Amino acid sequence: MFAQSALARLTAAACVAVLFAGLAGCSKTTEPPLPPKAGAVAGAAAAGKATSALGDLTSFRAIATDVSALVDQGNLAAAKTRVRALELAWDSAEAGLKPRAADDWHVLDKGIDRVLKALRAEPPAATECKAALAALLHTFDSLSGKA
């Protein structure tokens, strides 16, 4: 029994180590460390692969799509929580993305900042959140040649 318990702890520790290694990533990677939620994959698939001078932006756009859906449902609290994943993923990928196309990176960064500001306003206004998210999604699409 003790051997099974020790083996279970060792396996759990190894899984956690692999998870954190995948999340930490390399600063030069093109992939963000935080994957989108399962529901976002469908939104990303519908939008197609968003490739730009910055690289593959699909996972960032998928998170923004998740946030937009939450705002559309009127769940601004959940949208505020979910947008944190976009902020962390974007900030973590900066070192690998920004040198590729600094101007494009700044355009997207400002769009993300507008979404963050709208969702973090006290109180947040749904119309401002929707407008900021629509603009951000349009920016993703225009940078990937889909707009």
Side-chain angles (χ1 to χ4, degrees), residues 4-30:
Q4 288 177 335
S5 177
L7 180 60
R9 283 194 300 268
L10 181 60
T11 303
C15 289
V16 169
V18 169
L19 175 66
F20 282 125
L23 291 176
C26 173
S27 64
K28 297 295 181 190
T29 184
T30 60

Side-chain angles (χ1 to χ4, degrees), residues 76-104:
L76 298 180
K80 182 178 176 180
T81 299
R82 182 68 177 131
V83 80
R84 178 84 173 125
L86 177 59
E87 179 181 31
L88 292 173
W90 185 250
D91 289 347
S92 295
E94 177 181 356
L97 296 177
K98 193 174 181 181
R100 293 177 175 199
D103 290 341
D104 290 351

Side-chain angles (χ1 to χ4, degrees), residues 39-61:
V41 174
K49 193 167 186 148
T51 304
S52 72
L54 291 168
D56 183 5
L57 302 174
T58 304
S59 57
F60 300 111
R61 191 186 190 290

